[in-house]
Amino acid sequence: MDTVILHDLSIGYLSKGQQKVVASHLNAVIHSGELTCLLGANGIGKSTLLRTLSAFQPKLSGNVTIHGREIADYSAKELSRMVGVVLTEKPDVQHMTVTELVALGRSPYTGFWGALNAEDNQVVRQSISLVGIEPLAERMVHTLSDGERQKVMIAKALAQQTPVIYLDEPTAFLDFPSKVEVMQLLHRLAVEQQKTIFLSTHDVDLSLQLGDSIWLMQPQGLSVGTPLELAQRGILSHFIERDGISFDKENLTIHVRQ
């Protein structure tokens, strides 16, 4: 299903009263039940695009629709029930358990006082179980490793029960086994829970192995397709290959030569 659609989207920001265009004429679709990975060089505009899709900053022109409705037409509360966001920054949390932090994902549903009812508590437990962090449930958040903390933040997004989840560099600060584990988890959640999961990342090799769809931002525009499609079109080779770095477009593997 076409969950999020970009139509002739231009993104950017105001700087000293002047409009700074970061990227324009973006046309793409994020599908439900797929893991979509956003790649591109530093400074190309990945974070700006993610912030725009999350409605953290306004678009310059064009349209972003979620489930057929323009994003600007959602109220803040409606959008909080539609889109969950996991940011790169580590949460600065003291004196809070994993369960308490995951429970914050219920805030769009709990009203002014934030009191959880039996259904809310059940959703929190299910979210912790889906991510496989039951043994951490009563641990204090500040005692967790980076990989454990990232799983907690994903569980919090699941507790929000949104059909769409955006993640900004979810594997930053993680060692390689933890990177793989988080990417595998996100792919499984997309498929099994039919979530629309879209993430920005610098982990090209993992994206090619685990991503269902790749968005590659480059100065000449946005290229979208499966890893194999982008490889066969020569787009990935152009992005990846440098002196000493080659790309095998048949096996989707990157090789580094001495």
Side-chain angles (χ1 to χ4, degrees), residues 13 30 45 110 123 129 159 166 189 218:
Y13 49 89
I30 313 176
T110 54
V123 171
S129 176
Y166 298 140
L189 292 172
Q218 295 181 285

Side-chain angles (χ1 to χ4, degrees), residues 4-12 21 23-29 49 52-53 59-65 70 215 222:
V4 182
I5 301 176
L6 283 58
H7 177 68
D8 203 30
L9 178 67
S10 291
I11 60 173
V21 178
S24 58
H25 305 298
L26 304 177
N27 294 280
V29 175
L49 176 56
T52 305
L53 296 182
K59 63 184 185 296
L60 299 182
S61 63
N63 297 99
V64 178
T65 60
E70 168 61 37
W215 289 21
L222 179 66

Side-chain angles (χ1 to χ4, degrees), residues 122-146:
Q122 176 65 14
V123 171
V124 170
R125 288 192 295 270
Q126 288 175 341
S127 301
I128 288 171
S129 176
L130 281 171
V131 179
I133 55 172
E134 296 98 320
L136 304 179
E138 300 310 316
R139 283 269 301 275
M140 303 302 288
V141 174
H142 71 272
T143 69
L144 303 177
S145 70
D146 289 341

